[in-house]
Amino acid sequence: MRVTVVGTGYVGLVTGACLAQVGNQVLCIDIDAQKIAKLQGGEIPIYEPDLPEIVRGGLDGGRLSFGTDIAAGLAHGEFIFIAVGTPPDEDGSADLRHVLGVAADIGRYLQEPRIIVNKSTVPVGTAVKVHNTIQEELARRGMAIPFTVVSNPEFLKEGAAVADFMKPDRIIIGTDDEAAAQRMRDLYAPFNRNHDRLLVMDPASAELTKYAANCLLATKISFMNELAGLAELLGADIEKVRVGIGSDPRIGFEFIYPGCGYGGSCFPKDVRALQSTARELGYAAPLIQAVETVNNAQKRLLEKKVVAELGEDLHQRHIALWGLAFKPNTDDMREAPSRTLIDGLLRRGASIRAFDPAAGNEARRIYGNQERFSVCHDPYEACEEADALVICTEWQIFRSPDFVSLKNRMRQPLLIDGRNLYDPRLPRQVGFRYLAIGRP
């Protein structure tokens, strides 16, 4: 099939590359000519396992191409995927300017019937807005070209996006058009062979499903973090509690790991967007508001632990930081807990030496002008003469360190574990003061 994807950000690039991987002819469109030139040369602008290989494979095989001409994209594809960003507005609502801008372009250049697939994360009712925007532009041209708008939300985890697309848990199709639903079923058939994962529903339900999923996962994280704070006061070990409740099949073990808060491009934005939708409707949503409140407090917890150990004034203090990305297997630092910690420590006068296997360049871009912040090429190098080591991201490389070597490098043996990576016995038996989340 012939597919056009408008937007070559995280979602658009993964979508286009994976659709090309199974044999479709895919053209990815973006207004950023510099990015398109890099992609045409096989240069991938984001860190995502397996993505570079399938992009280059698609380019080499002639199944995947990139361009900047939206009119050419509309001429190419039967399916036109909208996969542009929906950044949060000042009030927390999703900013639909880019989505509706693409819709307007579609209306200006549409020549033949097309299925318009909204892949961006958008509020309920956006499918109607996209349809109306396209229709208005067609009316200005005096054209009556049939088209269908389908909601097809993405459920991709950063760090596992290719695997999630190729072997999805579910494929949500939001449309009232049976013919469009069948064509979408045909498009997704290569990803739906083991058993039927494709769910067809109305567009509003499809749009709400995406927000509901992310907000529920964020709720589980905030609940465990709030429980961890209580466990510390009670002298209980939240890790034992986690195993105890996770053993209940009604609860399970997914997303009940306590830590220093969630971040990234999805959970924070989507929680706020759903709050905004509730406010617009005059509907009180105290639980969703509490999820964000708890998370904001949790992201400040590591700074509080550092201050409790080293004092309010951190001038002349050197802090080692392991982990900058908001989660492993990505270089994404958007709303990462590490940024809250770094900003707080720098305000207090601390010097920070950080290490992350993937996000070093992103950290240099964000903090390049800060003299008291540097990124190291080795985790142990970051710990030289450090007054404390703080862990923000649970990368595999951090899971089994040489605690003796760490202790010998550091000025004082203080380890603050924001992801509960270690059995407390191991660092303590070599002389570390070990502090974690929700552990006595």
Side-chain angles (χ1 to χ4, degrees):
M1 297 185 183
R2 301 179 72 84
V3 179
T4 295
V5 180
V6 183
T8 58
Y10 184 83
V11 173
L13 187 55
V14 171
T15 298
C18 290
L19 288 173
Q21 175 76 356
V22 297
N24 297 296
Q25 293 293 320
V26 180
L27 171 59
C28 294
I29 300 294
D30 201 290
I31 61 172
D32 187 338
Q34 186 175 7
K35 180 194 285 189
I36 289 298
K38 291 180 178 179
L39 287 167
Q40 287 170 333
E43 185 176 339
I44 311 303
I46 58 175
Y47 180 92
E48 182 62 38
D50 302 322
L51 184 59
E53 291 80 6
I54 66 169
V55 168
R56 291 168 191 144
L59 288 168
D60 293 343
R63 301 181 306 275
L64 180 64
S65 57
F66 298 92
T68 58
D69 186 350
I70 184 68
L74 287 167
H76 169 85
E78 173 189 356
F79 302 90
I80 311 298
F81 279 77
I82 301 176
V84 294
T86 53
D89 219 333
E90 292 182 3
D91 61 356
S93 62
D95 185 344
L96 296 177
R97 284 178 297 173
H98 302 305
V99 171
L100 298 181
V102 173
D105 284 341
I106 291 172
R108 293 186 191 107
Y109 298 108
L110 190 65
Q111 300 293 336
E112 300 177 72
R114 293 289 184 258
I115 297 173
I116 314 303
V117 185
N118 193 5
K119 201 71 174 170
S120 300
T121 300
V122 293
V124 175
T126 301
V128 174
K129 292 181 180 179
V130 168
H131 185 279
N132 291 344
T133 300
I134 296 172
Q135 194 65 59
E136 288 168 6
E137 292 296 331
L138 287 173
R140 288 191 181 97
R141 295 167 54 199
M143 305 288 284
I145 302 171
F147 67 93
T148 302
V149 177
V150 175
S151 177
N152 176 217
E154 55 85 13
F155 298 96
L156 306 177
K157 298 186 294 291
E158 290 195 44
V162 172
D164 286 345
F165 197 102
M166 301 300 287
K167 296 181 179 180
D169 297 317
R170 73 283 208 199
I171 303 165
I172 304 293
I173 304 298
T175 182
D176 297 318
D177 185 320
E178 292 185 9
Q182 184 57 53
R183 290 302 288 153
M184 293 296 293
R185 188 178 292 277
D186 295 340
L187 178 65
Y188 277 110
F191 312 97
N192 197 33
R193 295 178 66 83
N194 182 268
H195 63 273
D196 191 4
R197 303 177 178 89
L198 194 140
L199 305 173
V200 179
M201 58 187 71
D202 60 277
S205 296
E207 290 166 338
L208 183 57
T209 296
K210 168 63 177 180
Y211 279 110
N214 278 355
C215 288
L216 180 56
L217 296 175
T219 299
K220 293 180 74 173
I221 294 170
S222 281
F223 175 79
M224 284 304 293
N225 284 335
E226 188 163 274
L227 205 59
L230 185 60
E232 283 193 24
L233 297 174
L234 293 171
D237 187 336
I238 194 63
E239 288 299 317
K240 294 177 180 177
V241 175
R242 177 182 65 79
V243 174
I245 65 175
S247 300
D248 185 332
R250 297 171 300 174
I251 298 172
F253 289 100
E254 296 292 329
F255 285 85
I256 61 169
Y257 288 84
C260 51
Y262 62 75
S265 63
C266 294
F267 286 7
K269 175 173 70 73
D270 293 351
V271 168
R272 292 182 201 124
L274 197 55
Q275 289 181 60
S276 176
T277 297
R279 282 195 302 271
E280 290 174 4
L281 297 171
Y283 181 78
L287 179 58
I288 300 172
Q289 295 172 24
V291 170
E292 183 179 24
T293 300
V294 170
N295 190 60
N296 288 339
Q298 197 71 12
K299 288 164 76 170
R300 296 189 293 269
L301 182 60
L302 294 182
E303 180 189 350
K304 290 182 178 180
K305 288 181 178 289
V306 171
V307 168
E309 296 296 315
L310 302 180
E312 297 278 351
D313 183 0
L314 297 178
H315 288 87
Q316 309 304 317
R317 295 291 193 176
H318 300 278
I319 309 299
L321 175 59
W322 282 5
L324 294 163
F326 84 96
K327 61 181 285 188
N329 298 318
T330 181
D331 61 353
D332 193 344
M333 289 182 63
R334 285 175 286 184
E335 303 211 36
S338 66
R339 294 184 64 169
T340 302
L341 175 63
I342 292 167
D343 293 345
L345 295 179
L346 289 175
R347 280 195 300 269
R348 295 178 182 276
S351 296
I352 302 168
R353 303 179 78 193
F355 172 79
D356 187 285
N361 287 337
E362 178 67 1
R364 292 184 186 98
R365 184 189 68 80
I366 296 169
Y367 294 104
N369 296 326
Q370 285 284 352
E371 294 182 357
R372 289 181 283 111
F373 177 84
S374 61
V375 177
C376 298
H377 297 286
D378 177 83
Y380 292 90
E381 176 191 353
C383 296
E384 294 288 349
E385 296 299 311
D387 294 290
L389 166 60
V390 184
I391 298 175
C392 273
T393 314
E394 63 276 29
W395 285 93
Q396 287 284 352
I397 195 174
F398 301 150
R399 292 185 180 269
S400 185
D402 183 339
F403 288 113
V404 174
S405 177
L406 279 178
K407 181 173 179 288
N408 291 338
R409 291 168 182 263
M410 295 175 65
R411 188 181 297 170
Q412 39 182 317
L414 173 60
L415 172 53
I416 301 175
D417 182 358
R419 296 298 179 182
N420 288 3
L421 291 183
Y422 309 122
D423 179 343
R425 174 181 53 87
L426 297 177
R428 286 172 181 162
Q429 70 184 6
V430 299
F432 271 98
R433 175 159 173 74
Y434 176 73
L435 305 175
I437 305 295
R439 312 189 83 171

